[in-house]
Amino acid sequence: TQLLEQSPQFLSIQEGENLTVYCNSSSVFSSLQWYRQEPGEGPVLLVTVVTGGEVKKLKRLTFQFGDARKDSSLHITAAQTGDTGLYLCAGVGGAQKLVFGQGTRLTINP
Amino acid sequence: EPEVTQTPSHQVTQMGQEVILRCVPISNHLYFYWYRQILGQKVEFLVSFYNNEISEKSEIFDDQFSVERPDGSNFTLKIRSTKLEDSAMYFCASSEFRGTDTQYFGPGTRLTVL
């Protein structure tokens, strides 16, 4: 069974600080996707990483896929209150299914 | 921008009743999926569907569940005899290709079984 563990599960920091969220597994994934989910809504895609060692940037968000394609990280620089939300990582396992982590609930305080 | 749509947004039903959840995937996508999320828990894979047949299903997807693409645009999930533990958010997703391709999610249907 493929599992993805996210850490931390909860993170509360002040506006302007930097943070990193981790997504780890003992399994290899062919790709990994990061989503953001608001309460009562569906996951909204942020980025897909495919190649081991790949780094993608989305404004203040930096996503990295581990060399062995077993782990990933999301780094936010100079966090803003608008970054508050639930961040999910999901790996492509099996034929097509996504295996989700349990999420990191991020709170940015003004 | 194309998006996945789902109806209804909220469905309330009595235990033992049948429900059909509807999804309209992104129009040029070929792969369709259903996931569910019980309140406070992880998003879980239920089933994937391609070329009018199930590609993969999880152990959750037992005989009470079925999926169908009744026409060129809709993709449905039927739960034949609902149980209390079926209460969850159900998300439809679609992707253009299989494998590493990105899956795009709909807004979900909140199913409440009483």
Side-chain angles (χ1 to χ4, degrees), chain B residues 61-89:
Chain B
F61 194 87
D62 61 23
D63 291 345
Q64 69 162 338
F65 291 94
S66 62
V67 289
E68 193 178 30
R69 187 152 162 85
D71 52 45
S73 59
N74 289 285
F75 179 50
T76 62
L77 174 68
K78 181 191 290 186
I79 309 176
R80 282 188 191 78
S81 178
T82 50
K83 302 178 232 177
L84 295 176
E85 54 265 37
D86 293 328
S87 294
M89 282 288 286

PDB file of all heavy atoms in Angstrom, chain B residues 61-89:
ATOM      1  N   PHE B  61     -14.814   0.582  -3.282  1.00  0.00           N
ATOM      2  CA  PHE B  61     -15.754   0.537  -4.402  1.00  0.00           C
ATOM      3  C   PHE B  61     -16.310  -0.883  -4.515  1.00  0.00           C
ATOM      4  O   PHE B  61     -15.879  -1.679  -5.350  1.00  0.00           O
ATOM      5  CB  PHE B  61     -15.040   0.957  -5.695  1.00  0.00           C
ATOM      6  CG  PHE B  61     -15.974   1.277  -6.830  1.00  0.00           C
ATOM      7  CD1 PHE B  61     -16.498   2.549  -6.978  1.00  0.00           C
ATOM      8  CD2 PHE B  61     -16.313   0.311  -7.765  1.00  0.00           C
ATOM      9  CE1 PHE B  61     -17.350   2.856  -8.034  1.00  0.00           C
ATOM     10  CE2 PHE B  61     -17.159   0.603  -8.819  1.00  0.00           C
ATOM     11  CZ  PHE B  61     -17.676   1.878  -8.952  1.00  0.00           C
ATOM     12  N   ASP B  62     -17.282  -1.191  -3.651  1.00  0.00           N
ATOM     13  CA  ASP B  62     -17.856  -2.545  -3.667  1.00  0.00           C
ATOM     14  C   ASP B  62     -19.107  -2.583  -4.551  1.00  0.00           C
ATOM     15  O   ASP B  62     -19.362  -1.650  -5.314  1.00  0.00           O
ATOM     16  CB  ASP B  62     -18.145  -3.003  -2.233  1.00  0.00           C
ATOM     17  CG  ASP B  62     -19.139  -2.104  -1.515  1.00  0.00           C
ATOM     18  OD1 ASP B  62     -19.926  -1.404  -2.196  1.00  0.00           O
ATOM     19  OD2 ASP B  62     -19.134  -2.094  -0.270  1.00  0.00           O
ATOM     20  N   ASP B  63     -19.877  -3.642  -4.416  1.00  0.00           N
ATOM     21  CA  ASP B  63     -21.009  -3.869  -5.332  1.00  0.00           C
ATOM     22  C   ASP B  63     -22.116  -2.826  -5.220  1.00  0.00           C
ATOM     23  O   ASP B  63     -22.980  -2.766  -6.093  1.00  0.00           O
ATOM     24  CB  ASP B  63     -21.607  -5.255  -5.083  1.00  0.00           C
ATOM     25  CG  ASP B  63     -20.672  -6.362  -5.511  1.00  0.00           C
ATOM     26  OD1 ASP B  63     -19.701  -6.051  -6.250  1.00  0.00           O
ATOM     27  OD2 ASP B  63     -20.874  -7.512  -5.102  1.00  0.00           O
ATOM     28  N   GLN B  64     -22.127  -2.044  -4.159  1.00  0.00           N
ATOM     29  CA  GLN B  64     -23.176  -1.035  -4.052  1.00  0.00           C
ATOM     30  C   GLN B  64     -22.869   0.196  -4.913  1.00  0.00           C
ATOM     31  O   GLN B  64     -23.726   1.040  -5.133  1.00  0.00           O
ATOM     32  CB  GLN B  64     -23.371  -0.596  -2.603  1.00  0.00           C
ATOM     33  CG  GLN B  64     -22.224   0.193  -2.015  1.00  0.00           C
ATOM     34  CD  GLN B  64     -22.618   0.965  -0.767  1.00  0.00           C
ATOM     35  OE1 GLN B  64     -23.778   1.255  -0.536  1.00  0.00           O
ATOM     36  NE2 GLN B  64     -21.638   1.313   0.045  1.00  0.00           N
ATOM     37  N   PHE B  65     -21.634   0.280  -5.412  1.00  0.00           N
ATOM     38  CA  PHE B  65     -21.237   1.418  -6.233  1.00  0.00           C
ATOM     39  C   PHE B  65     -21.210   1.014  -7.710  1.00  0.00           C
ATOM     40  O   PHE B  65     -20.855  -0.116  -8.058  1.00  0.00           O
ATOM     41  CB  PHE B  65     -19.832   1.897  -5.863  1.00  0.00           C
ATOM     42  CG  PHE B  65     -19.715   2.549  -4.510  1.00  0.00           C
ATOM     43  CD1 PHE B  65     -19.347   1.805  -3.397  1.00  0.00           C
ATOM     44  CD2 PHE B  65     -19.950   3.899  -4.355  1.00  0.00           C
ATOM     45  CE1 PHE B  65     -19.232   2.403  -2.148  1.00  0.00           C
ATOM     46  CE2 PHE B  65     -19.829   4.511  -3.103  1.00  0.00           C
ATOM     47  CZ  PHE B  65     -19.474   3.760  -2.002  1.00  0.00           C
ATOM     48  N   SER B  66     -21.550   1.961  -8.583  1.00  0.00           N
ATOM     49  CA  SER B  66     -21.362   1.747 -10.008  1.00  0.00           C
ATOM     50  C   SER B  66     -21.127   3.104 -10.667  1.00  0.00           C
ATOM     51  O   SER B  66     -21.506   4.147 -10.124  1.00  0.00           O
ATOM     52  CB  SER B  66     -22.567   1.039 -10.645  1.00  0.00           C
ATOM     53  OG  SER B  66     -23.730   1.832 -10.522  1.00  0.00           O
ATOM     54  N   VAL B  67     -20.456   3.062 -11.805  1.00  0.00           N
ATOM     55  CA  VAL B  67     -20.210   4.290 -12.564  1.00  0.00           C
ATOM     56  C   VAL B  67     -20.660   4.078 -13.996  1.00  0.00           C
ATOM     57  O   VAL B  67     -20.702   2.959 -14.501  1.00  0.00           O
ATOM     58  CB  VAL B  67     -18.714   4.703 -12.548  1.00  0.00           C
ATOM     59  CG1 VAL B  67     -18.309   5.209 -11.177  1.00  0.00           C
ATOM     60  CG2 VAL B  67     -17.824   3.567 -12.998  1.00  0.00           C
ATOM     61  N   GLU B  68     -20.974   5.208 -14.629  1.00  0.00           N
ATOM     62  CA  GLU B  68     -21.491   5.139 -15.981  1.00  0.00           C
ATOM     63  C   GLU B  68     -21.201   6.445 -16.697  1.00  0.00           C
ATOM     64  O   GLU B  68     -21.135   7.507 -16.073  1.00  0.00           O
ATOM     65  CB  GLU B  68     -23.020   4.928 -15.919  1.00  0.00           C
ATOM     66  CG  GLU B  68     -23.655   4.529 -17.215  1.00  0.00           C
ATOM     67  CD  GLU B  68     -25.150   4.302 -17.066  1.00  0.00           C
ATOM     68  OE1 GLU B  68     -25.791   4.941 -16.208  1.00  0.00           O
ATOM     69  OE2 GLU B  68     -25.677   3.478 -17.820  1.00  0.00           O
ATOM     70  N   ARG B  69     -20.997   6.333 -18.007  1.00  0.00           N
ATOM     71  CA  ARG B  69     -20.905   7.535 -18.828  1.00  0.00           C
ATOM     72  C   ARG B  69     -22.080   7.416 -19.801  1.00  0.00           C
ATOM     73  O   ARG B  69     -21.945   6.869 -20.892  1.00  0.00           O
ATOM     74  CB  ARG B  69     -19.575   7.566 -19.549  1.00  0.00           C
ATOM     75  CG  ARG B  69     -19.310   8.854 -20.296  1.00  0.00           C
ATOM     76  CD  ARG B  69     -17.835   9.118 -20.383  1.00  0.00           C
ATOM     77  NE  ARG B  69     -17.499  10.084 -21.410  1.00  0.00           N
ATOM     78  CZ  ARG B  69     -17.520  11.391 -21.227  1.00  0.00           C
ATOM     79  NH1 ARG B  69     -17.904  11.902 -20.079  1.00  0.00           N
ATOM     80  NH2 ARG B  69     -17.158  12.213 -22.203  1.00  0.00           N
ATOM     81  N   PRO B  70     -23.246   7.903 -19.403  1.00  0.00           N
ATOM     82  CA  PRO B  70     -24.473   7.649 -20.162  1.00  0.00           C
ATOM     83  C   PRO B  70     -24.533   8.370 -21.503  1.00  0.00           C
ATOM     84  O   PRO B  70     -25.271   7.959 -22.397  1.00  0.00           O
ATOM     85  CB  PRO B  70     -25.572   8.151 -19.223  1.00  0.00           C
ATOM     86  CG  PRO B  70     -24.904   9.148 -18.342  1.00  0.00           C
ATOM     87  CD  PRO B  70     -23.494   8.674 -18.175  1.00  0.00           C
ATOM     88  N   ASP B  71     -23.752   9.444 -21.649  1.00  0.00           N
ATOM     89  CA  ASP B  71     -23.733  10.166 -22.920  1.00  0.00           C
ATOM     90  C   ASP B  71     -22.337  10.745 -23.090  1.00  0.00           C
ATOM     91  O   ASP B  71     -21.421  10.381 -22.351  1.00  0.00           O
ATOM     92  CB  ASP B  71     -24.810  11.260 -22.940  1.00  0.00           C
ATOM     93  CG  ASP B  71     -24.715  12.169 -21.729  1.00  0.00           C
ATOM     94  OD1 ASP B  71     -23.578  12.583 -21.390  1.00  0.00           O
ATOM     95  OD2 ASP B  71     -25.738  12.454 -21.112  1.00  0.00           O
ATOM     96  N   GLY B  72     -22.158  11.645 -24.033  1.00  0.00           N
ATOM     97  CA  GLY B  72     -20.820  12.143 -24.318  1.00  0.00           C
ATOM     98  C   GLY B  72     -20.263  13.138 -23.336  1.00  0.00           C
ATOM     99  O   GLY B  72     -19.103  13.521 -23.438  1.00  0.00           O
ATOM    100  N   SER B  73     -21.088  13.541 -22.346  1.00  0.00           N
ATOM    101  CA  SER B  73     -20.585  14.580 -21.461  1.00  0.00           C
ATOM    102  C   SER B  73     -20.673  14.220 -19.980  1.00  0.00           C
ATOM    103  O   SER B  73     -19.836  14.657 -19.202  1.00  0.00           O
ATOM    104  CB  SER B  73     -21.324  15.895 -21.714  1.00  0.00           C
ATOM    105  OG  SER B  73     -22.705  15.731 -21.506  1.00  0.00           O
ATOM    106  N   ASN B  74     -21.653  13.430 -19.575  1.00  0.00           N
ATOM    107  CA  ASN B  74     -21.840  13.160 -18.160  1.00  0.00           C
ATOM    108  C   ASN B  74     -21.096  11.911 -17.694  1.00  0.00           C
ATOM    109  O   ASN B  74     -20.880  10.965 -18.466  1.00  0.00           O
ATOM    110  CB  ASN B  74     -23.331  12.985 -17.855  1.00  0.00           C
ATOM    111  CG  ASN B  74     -24.079  14.291 -17.959  1.00  0.00           C
ATOM    112  OD1 ASN B  74     -23.978  15.144 -17.095  1.00  0.00           O
ATOM    113  ND2 ASN B  74     -24.812  14.455 -19.049  1.00  0.00           N
ATOM    114  N   PHE B  75     -20.725  11.924 -16.428  1.00  0.00           N
ATOM    115  CA  PHE B  75     -20.089  10.777 -15.776  1.00  0.00           C
ATOM    116  C   PHE B  75     -20.758  10.672 -14.416  1.00  0.00           C
ATOM    117  O   PHE B  75     -20.776  11.634 -13.653  1.00  0.00           O
ATOM    118  CB  PHE B  75     -18.587  11.037 -15.664  1.00  0.00           C
ATOM    119  CG  PHE B  75     -17.798   9.952 -14.995  1.00  0.00           C
ATOM    120  CD1 PHE B  75     -17.928   8.622 -15.371  1.00  0.00           C
ATOM    121  CD2 PHE B  75     -16.893  10.269 -13.986  1.00  0.00           C
ATOM    122  CE1 PHE B  75     -17.183   7.627 -14.757  1.00  0.00           C
ATOM    123  CE2 PHE B  75     -16.137   9.276 -13.366  1.00  0.00           C
ATOM    124  CZ  PHE B  75     -16.288   7.964 -13.749  1.00  0.00           C
ATOM    125  N   THR B  76     -21.357   9.508 -14.126  1.00  0.00           N
ATOM    126  CA  THR B  76     -22.152   9.401 -12.902  1.00  0.00           C
ATOM    127  C   THR B  76     -21.614   8.342 -11.959  1.00  0.00           C
ATOM    128  O   THR B  76     -20.999   7.354 -12.380  1.00  0.00           O
ATOM    129  CB  THR B  76     -23.625   9.066 -13.230  1.00  0.00           C
ATOM    130  OG1 THR B  76     -23.676   7.798 -13.876  1.00  0.00           O
ATOM    131  CG2 THR B  76     -24.247  10.119 -14.118  1.00  0.00           C
ATOM    132  N   LEU B  77     -21.868   8.566 -10.680  1.00  0.00           N
ATOM    133  CA  LEU B  77     -21.585   7.591  -9.626  1.00  0.00           C
ATOM    134  C   LEU B  77     -22.908   7.263  -8.970  1.00  0.00           C
ATOM    135  O   LEU B  77     -23.613   8.165  -8.493  1.00  0.00           O
ATOM    136  CB  LEU B  77     -20.614   8.172  -8.595  1.00  0.00           C
ATOM    137  CG  LEU B  77     -20.351   7.314  -7.354  1.00  0.00           C
ATOM    138  CD1 LEU B  77     -19.570   6.050  -7.715  1.00  0.00           C
ATOM    139  CD2 LEU B  77     -19.591   8.105  -6.282  1.00  0.00           C
ATOM    140  N   LYS B  78     -23.265   5.980  -8.970  1.00  0.00           N
ATOM    141  CA  LYS B  78     -24.496   5.539  -8.333  1.00  0.00           C
ATOM    142  C   LYS B  78     -24.156   4.752  -7.082  1.00  0.00           C
ATOM    143  O   LYS B  78     -23.287   3.869  -7.113  1.00  0.00           O
ATOM    144  CB  LYS B  78     -25.327   4.670  -9.283  1.00  0.00           C
ATOM    145  CG  LYS B  78     -26.654   4.189  -8.682  1.00  0.00           C
ATOM    146  CD  LYS B  78     -27.323   3.116  -9.525  1.00  0.00           C
ATOM    147  CE  LYS B  78     -27.856   3.627 -10.817  1.00  0.00           C
ATOM    148  NZ  LYS B  78     -28.635   2.590 -11.552  1.00  0.00           N
ATOM    149  N   ILE B  79     -24.836   5.069  -6.009  1.00  0.00           N
ATOM    150  CA  ILE B  79     -24.740   4.269  -4.789  1.00  0.00           C
ATOM    151  C   ILE B  79     -26.115   3.662  -4.578  1.00  0.00           C
ATOM    152  O   ILE B  79     -27.110   4.375  -4.396  1.00  0.00           O
ATOM    153  CB  ILE B  79     -24.336   5.121  -3.569  1.00  0.00           C
ATOM    154  CG1 ILE B  79     -23.091   5.965  -3.883  1.00  0.00           C
ATOM    155  CG2 ILE B  79     -24.058   4.222  -2.363  1.00  0.00           C
ATOM    156  CD1 ILE B  79     -22.684   6.917  -2.765  1.00  0.00           C
ATOM    157  N   ARG B  80     -26.194   2.317  -4.632  1.00  0.00           N
ATOM    158  CA  ARG B  80     -27.496   1.647  -4.695  1.00  0.00           C
ATOM    159  C   ARG B  80     -28.278   1.716  -3.396  1.00  0.00           C
ATOM    160  O   ARG B  80     -29.446   2.024  -3.388  1.00  0.00           O
ATOM    161  CB  ARG B  80     -27.311   0.179  -5.076  1.00  0.00           C
ATOM    162  CG  ARG B  80     -27.061  -0.016  -6.536  1.00  0.00           C
ATOM    163  CD  ARG B  80     -27.068  -1.464  -6.950  1.00  0.00           C
ATOM    164  NE  ARG B  80     -26.564  -1.605  -8.306  1.00  0.00           N
ATOM    165  CZ  ARG B  80     -25.290  -1.569  -8.649  1.00  0.00           C
ATOM    166  NH1 ARG B  80     -24.378  -1.434  -7.743  1.00  0.00           N
ATOM    167  NH2 ARG B  80     -24.924  -1.675  -9.906  1.00  0.00           N
ATOM    168  N   SER B  81     -27.688   1.407  -2.321  1.00  0.00           N
ATOM    169  CA  SER B  81     -28.368   1.353  -1.037  1.00  0.00           C
ATOM    170  C   SER B  81     -27.469   2.040  -0.016  1.00  0.00           C
ATOM    171  O   SER B  81     -26.557   1.432   0.539  1.00  0.00           O
ATOM    172  CB  SER B  81     -28.626  -0.102  -0.645  1.00  0.00           C
ATOM    173  OG  SER B  81     -29.250  -0.172   0.616  1.00  0.00           O
ATOM    174  N   THR B  82     -27.717   3.317   0.185  1.00  0.00           N
ATOM    175  CA  THR B  82     -26.784   4.115   0.973  1.00  0.00           C
ATOM    176  C   THR B  82     -26.771   3.707   2.437  1.00  0.00           C
ATOM    177  O   THR B  82     -27.795   3.287   3.003  1.00  0.00           O
ATOM    178  CB  THR B  82     -27.136   5.608   0.874  1.00  0.00           C
ATOM    179  OG1 THR B  82     -28.537   5.776   1.154  1.00  0.00           O
ATOM    180  CG2 THR B  82     -26.831   6.149  -0.503  1.00  0.00           C
ATOM    181  N   LYS B  83     -25.571   3.838   3.030  1.00  0.00           N
ATOM    182  CA  LYS B  83     -25.376   3.567   4.441  1.00  0.00           C
ATOM    183  C   LYS B  83     -24.926   4.863   5.119  1.00  0.00           C
ATOM    184  O   LYS B  83     -24.444   5.791   4.451  1.00  0.00           O
ATOM    185  CB  LYS B  83     -24.306   2.505   4.638  1.00  0.00           C
ATOM    186  CG  LYS B  83     -24.586   1.191   3.953  1.00  0.00           C
ATOM    187  CD  LYS B  83     -23.434   0.227   4.172  1.00  0.00           C
ATOM    188  CE  LYS B  83     -22.981  -0.307   2.841  1.00  0.00           C
ATOM    189  NZ  LYS B  83     -21.833  -1.188   2.912  1.00  0.00           N
ATOM    190  N   LEU B  84     -25.057   4.891   6.426  1.00  0.00           N
ATOM    191  CA  LEU B  84     -24.644   6.087   7.161  1.00  0.00           C
ATOM    192  C   LEU B  84     -23.189   6.440   6.859  1.00  0.00           C
ATOM    193  O   LEU B  84     -22.843   7.625   6.719  1.00  0.00           O
ATOM    194  CB  LEU B  84     -24.824   5.881   8.670  1.00  0.00           C
ATOM    195  CG  LEU B  84     -26.258   5.694   9.170  1.00  0.00           C
ATOM    196  CD1 LEU B  84     -26.266   5.393  10.662  1.00  0.00           C
ATOM    197  CD2 LEU B  84     -27.101   6.929   8.873  1.00  0.00           C
ATOM    198  N   GLU B  85     -22.343   5.413   6.752  1.00  0.00           N
ATOM    199  CA  GLU B  85     -20.916   5.651   6.553  1.00  0.00           C
ATOM    200  C   GLU B  85     -20.571   6.119   5.143  1.00  0.00           C
ATOM    201  O   GLU B  85     -19.405   6.403   4.857  1.00  0.00           O
ATOM    202  CB  GLU B  85     -20.101   4.407   6.909  1.00  0.00           C
ATOM    203  CG  GLU B  85     -20.527   3.147   6.206  1.00  0.00           C
ATOM    204  CD  GLU B  85     -21.492   2.299   7.021  1.00  0.00           C
ATOM    205  OE1 GLU B  85     -22.360   2.875   7.742  1.00  0.00           O
ATOM    206  OE2 GLU B  85     -21.404   1.060   6.926  1.00  0.00           O
ATOM    207  N   ASP B  86     -21.568   6.202   4.255  1.00  0.00           N
ATOM    208  CA  ASP B  86     -21.329   6.760   2.923  1.00  0.00           C
ATOM    209  C   ASP B  86     -21.362   8.286   2.949  1.00  0.00           C
ATOM    210  O   ASP B  86     -21.035   8.932   1.939  1.00  0.00           O
ATOM    211  CB  ASP B  86     -22.381   6.257   1.927  1.00  0.00           C
ATOM    212  CG  ASP B  86     -22.272   4.770   1.657  1.00  0.00           C
ATOM    213  OD1 ASP B  86     -21.132   4.237   1.701  1.00  0.00           O
ATOM    214  OD2 ASP B  86     -23.316   4.136   1.418  1.00  0.00           O
ATOM    215  N   SER B  87     -21.751   8.870   4.059  1.00  0.00           N
ATOM    216  CA  SER B  87     -21.757  10.332   4.177  1.00  0.00           C
ATOM    217  C   SER B  87     -20.342  10.859   4.003  1.00  0.00           C
ATOM    218  O   SER B  87     -19.419  10.463   4.724  1.00  0.00           O
ATOM    219  CB  SER B  87     -22.295  10.752   5.549  1.00  0.00           C
ATOM    220  OG  SER B  87     -23.661  10.415   5.690  1.00  0.00           O
ATOM    221  N   ALA B  88     -20.162  11.742   3.018  1.00  0.00           N
ATOM    222  CA  ALA B  88     -18.831  12.237   2.679  1.00  0.00           C
ATOM    223  C   ALA B  88     -18.966  13.272   1.573  1.00  0.00           C
ATOM    224  O   ALA B  88     -20.039  13.454   0.998  1.00  0.00           O
ATOM    225  CB  ALA B  88     -17.933  11.088   2.195  1.00  0.00           C
ATOM    226  N   MET B  89     -17.850  13.914   1.258  1.00  0.00           N
ATOM    227  CA  MET B  89     -17.766  14.708   0.025  1.00  0.00           C
ATOM    228  C   MET B  89     -17.295  13.771  -1.079  1.00  0.00           C
ATOM    229  O   MET B  89     -16.322  13.025  -0.887  1.00  0.00           O
ATOM    230  CB  MET B  89     -16.751  15.840   0.188  1.00  0.00           C
ATOM    231  CG  MET B  89     -17.241  17.015   0.972  1.00  0.00           C
ATOM    232  SD  MET B  89     -18.455  18.007   0.089  1.00  0.00           S
ATOM    233  CE  MET B  89     -17.435  18.856  -1.106  1.00  0.00           C
TER     234      MET B  89
END
